[in-house]
Amino acid sequence: TFNLKSWLKDNWLILIFLILPTLTIYATSLNNDFVSDDLYAIVNHPDLDQPQYFTSSFPIVWQPLFYFLINKFFGLQPMFFRSLNITLHLGNVLLSYFLISLLINSRTAAIASILLAIHPIAVESVAWISGGGYPQYTFFLLLALIAYLFSSQKKAKGKPYYLLSLLTFLMALTTSEKAAVLPIILLFFQLGFGKISKAYKKLIPYFSLSALWVMIYAIRIPERVKDLVGPGGSGYKLFNPLKQIPIAIFDYLRLIIYPQGLTHYHTELLHTYPEMVIRGAVILLLLIVIVWGFFKNRHLFFWLSFFFISLLPTLTPLGVSWVVAERYVYLGAIGIFVLIAIFLDKLMKQKRVRPWLNIFLALGVVALSITTVLRISDWKTQDSLVLSAAKTSPSSAQNHNNLGKIYKERDQVQKAIAEFKIAITLQPGFSHAYHNLGTVYQELNQIDLAIENFKAAVTYNPDLWQTHQNLAISYHQAGKVDLAEIHFKESVSLKPQNPDLHFNLAIFYSKTNRSKKAREELKTTLELKPDYLEAQRLLESLERQSQGG
């Protein structure tokens, strides 16, 4: 009996109310720079303008495809990359309103959707370009859920919606493997609002697709582990779920209800025994509430379950994700927003409370909007992001390493050295911090200290070709020619298609009077990069010397 035209006629004013603040708030992020992962995933990625940029990551294709197309049409302008996130975030706000208004009522839907629109916990997913995968898969997942809802109509009318639901679910999976939770969400939806006996056959294709994606993801876990221990990696260790889950769930709820302490690196996770007992008790109480809701309150049952289920991919003990990251809860926060909205809607039915509650809501919207705009400013530049995280994440090795790079760029050398050393103390074996510390000592011409730190970096991660290159230069400066040659060759073997490395090895051979080997490396350089002028000039010079000799 649903009529979209009538629904739009009844709800157009609320839709405008949702669209305007969403666009107004996130318009403040349009002039922000590329930051954090954006730099190597987009700005410095060698294949951004090549089809392999989005084909090599299969089955995850949508986000790299979007980036490829944006770069093709607009170039490396962060505004256009970020506009994609904002558009999808707005889409999620409107889809949430549509879904909740169908399941509950328009007032509850409006409150929950405005919270999603303006809450600062969404900033990491929307204002950070690389966080855009979360609004993207959420958009497709919500479409799949809504289409599934409409598929419950009579067979002739419901079948197209069912096929649309499967298609959009597949699109969600090819955006992020975290969308594999949808079948569980649908299962709990049926438990709360329908009958499993009548729907289990419909759920089989969803679970089959999810199982396939889980297997693909499991195969790629070793690759993810390698990334974590690779250049700039955050380190790898297994998590104790008895600690991980209470910490994560409690912190997400705290950040949703009281959004203070937002940061790119949630590392302040060490808690006393009484604190952990309290967190565990809260989680246990919530699980009891879910069970109680199954019998007494279907919306409480479903939306609280929705929150937990959406976090399942990030709550594994495998150590391939952060314990807490604000982008992880982008989808799950909708469940908590709905529960808050249901509670406020019930209060509004009391006439004496309604005027005061309206004032409270208005002030709350203003406060959240201001907090979100301020949080967006933290993401304006790489420096502002790192400096903001320094206030909230003092035990983050990654952030101290980033602070060291900032101080190094500002020629505050001693501060840079101090920050790199703190990073190494916090995370022994942090190869990237050793590399950065070595580069500072190299520039200060403290060759012994440079060699010491470069050696430590390649000990913990032998695949750091940049470090092998710098270590070779330092050994050459120290007069240790044999060791220099070993590491020049090692860097070339790790990146054989990099013409600069072949050119550097050629210069080394030239300076150590091995003209023949130098010419061989220069010829390889020019095969890889025919317009390499410095290599052409050096090769011509060496050939003249050879002929003159």
Side-chain angles (χ1 to χ4, degrees):
T1 60
F2 177 79
N3 185 286
L4 181 60
K5 187 176 180 180
S6 298
W7 185 88
L8 289 172
K9 184 178 179 181
D10 294 338
N11 291 273
W12 68 271
L13 193 59
I14 297 176
L15 295 178
I16 292 174
F17 168 74
L18 294 172
I19 292 169
L20 289 178
T22 306
L23 294 181
T24 302
I25 288 171
Y26 281 100
T28 63
S29 72
L30 288 175
N31 291 323
N32 287 11
D33 291 342
F34 292 108
V35 296
S36 189
D37 292 1
D38 302 342
L39 300 175
Y40 72 82
I42 301 174
V43 179
N44 300 321
H45 200 290
D47 298 324
L48 182 60
D49 58 350
Q50 302 298 322
Q52 59 261 34
Y53 181 77
F54 62 86
T55 56
S56 60
S57 59
F58 185 83
I60 305 302
V61 296
W62 288 105
Q63 187 175 38
L65 176 60
F66 288 142
Y67 290 170
F68 171 80
L69 293 173
I70 291 170
N71 179 62
K72 209 74 172 174
F73 288 102
F74 304 105
L76 283 173
Q77 299 294 325
M79 175 187 296
F80 296 104
F81 287 87
R82 193 166 284 109
S83 295
L84 173 65
N85 291 8
I86 296 171
T87 302
L88 288 165
H89 178 58
L90 176 60
N92 292 328
V93 171
L94 299 179
L95 287 175
S96 296
Y97 176 76
F98 182 69
L99 174 64
I100 300 162
S101 67
L102 292 178
L103 292 176
I104 310 176
N105 60 57
S106 58
R107 186 162 60 189
T108 300
I111 295 171
S113 300
I114 195 65
L115 286 173
L116 174 62
I118 67 172
H119 200 288
I121 204 164
V123 169
E124 183 171 274
S125 302
V126 184
W128 181 31
I129 294 169
S130 293
Y134 292 86
Q136 287 173 35
Y137 93 78
T138 297
F139 180 79
F140 293 128
L141 188 144
L142 288 175
L143 279 175
L145 180 54
I146 291 169
Y148 180 85
L149 176 65
F150 278 90
S151 74
S152 62
Q153 299 176 87
K154 292 180 179 179
K155 288 185 178 180
K157 291 185 177 181
K159 188 174 181 180
Y161 289 107
Y162 181 67
L163 295 175
L164 176 62
S165 179
L166 285 172
L167 175 62
T168 49
F169 176 42
L170 185 59
M171 294 176 75
L173 286 172
T174 49
T175 301
S176 172
E177 72 284 343
K178 294 177 179 64
V181 298
L182 179 62
I184 307 175
I185 292 173
L186 294 179
L187 175 64
F188 275 69
F189 181 84
Q190 288 293 157
L191 288 171
F193 301 104
K195 294 182 179 180
I196 291 295
S197 59
K198 292 185 177 181
Y200 74 93
K201 290 182 180 179
K202 289 174 62 177
L203 295 178
I204 290 174
Y206 294 93
F207 277 99
S208 300
L209 282 171
S210 282
L212 176 60
W213 250 256
V214 169
M215 286 190 290
I216 293 172
Y217 182 68
I219 292 170
R220 293 190 170 186
I221 286 176
E223 181 182 334
R224 172 63 177 151
V225 171
K226 186 178 180 181
D227 289 341
L228 289 170
V229 298
S234 57
Y236 175 75
K237 60 181 179 180
L238 294 173
F239 296 141
N240 179 352
L242 294 178
K243 293 182 178 180
Q244 174 199 11
I245 294 173
I247 288 173
I249 297 296
F250 190 91
D251 275 14
Y252 289 135
L253 290 171
R254 176 181 61 81
L255 291 170
I256 291 171
I257 296 168
Y258 183 66
Q260 295 297 311
L262 298 167
T263 179
H264 191 33
Y265 298 113
H266 285 273
T267 54
E268 313 313 300
L269 303 174
L270 296 177
H271 303 285
T272 63
Y273 181 77
E275 287 174 333
M276 288 303 300
V277 169
I278 291 172
R279 287 167 180 258
V282 169
I283 306 307
L284 180 60
L285 178 61
L286 290 175
L287 294 176
I288 293 171
V289 169
I290 288 175
V291 175
W292 178 86
F294 177 73
F295 296 101
K296 299 294 184 179
N297 189 316
R298 60 185 181 177
H299 285 295
L300 180 60
F301 166 75
F302 174 69
W303 292 108
L304 190 53
S305 299
F306 184 96
F307 168 71
F308 276 95
I309 293 166
S310 69
L311 292 170
L312 289 177
T314 66
L315 295 177
T316 68
L318 298 175
V320 293
S321 57
W322 294 90
V323 175
V324 176
E326 289 152 34
R327 57 193 180 276
Y328 293 171
V329 76
Y330 179 85
L331 172 63
I334 296 173
I336 302 302
F337 293 151
V338 172
L339 294 177
I340 293 171
I342 289 172
F343 174 72
L344 294 175
D345 180 51
K346 287 186 176 181
L347 285 181
M348 282 188 172
K349 292 175 182 177
Q350 301 179 27
K351 292 183 179 180
R352 289 180 299 178
V353 176
R354 191 181 303 161
W356 298 103
L357 191 56
N358 285 331
I359 294 171
F360 170 78
L361 284 174
L363 292 174
V365 167
V366 171
L368 284 174
S369 299
I370 293 171
T371 304
T372 298
V373 170
L374 292 174
R375 180 63 181 146
I376 288 171
S377 69
D378 290 340
W379 290 86
K380 188 169 185 61
T381 65
Q382 180 68 10
D383 287 10
S384 63
L385 176 62
V386 172
L387 292 171
S388 68
K391 301 173 186 176
T392 51
S393 308
S395 64
S396 169
Q398 292 75 28
N399 205 61
H400 282 288
N401 181 57
N402 292 337
L403 278 170
K405 289 191 284 187
I406 288 175
Y407 288 132
K408 182 174 178 285
E409 290 169 1
R410 295 179 178 180
D411 293 325
Q412 295 175 282
V413 178
Q414 294 307 316
K415 285 187 175 182
I417 290 173
E419 292 297 336
F420 291 137
K421 287 183 174 180
I422 292 172
I424 291 167
T425 301
L426 290 169
Q427 186 178 309
F430 193 176
S431 56
H432 208 51
Y434 277 113
H435 170 88
N436 290 330
L437 185 56
T439 59
V440 175
Y441 286 129
Q442 191 176 50
E443 292 174 7
L444 292 173
N445 206 32
Q446 297 181 27
I447 304 304
D448 289 343
L449 287 173
I451 290 173
E452 177 186 327
N453 284 282
F454 288 142
K455 283 174 66 178
V458 295
T459 297
Y460 290 113
N461 187 355
D463 294 333
L464 284 173
W465 62 268
Q466 304 97 323
T467 309
H468 284 290
Q469 186 78 185
N470 286 9
L471 183 53
I473 293 169
S474 293
Y475 273 135
H476 191 203
Q477 291 173 322
K480 299 178 181 180
V481 177
D482 292 342
L483 290 172
E485 182 176 5
I486 289 171
H487 289 282
F488 271 125
K489 286 183 174 180
E490 184 64 25
S491 66
V492 169
S493 68
L494 289 168
K495 285 286 182 180
Q497 300 303 311
N498 188 323
D500 292 326
L501 299 184
H502 288 280
F503 181 64
N504 291 342
L505 181 55
I507 292 175
F508 169 73
Y509 282 138
S510 175
K511 288 183 177 180
T512 53
N513 300 316
R514 286 176 278 183
S515 178
K516 183 179 178 181
K517 287 188 173 183
R519 294 198 303 274
E520 290 173 357
E521 290 299 327
L522 288 169
K523 289 175 182 177
T524 303
T525 303
L526 291 170
E527 287 174 4
L528 295 169
K529 188 178 179 181
D531 59 346
Y532 205 136
L533 294 178
E534 294 89 345
Q536 291 174 1
R537 291 167 184 162
L538 181 57
L539 180 59
E540 290 169 2
S541 174
L542 292 175
E543 285 179 341
R544 283 197 300 269
Q545 292 175 16
S546 175
Q547 291 169 2

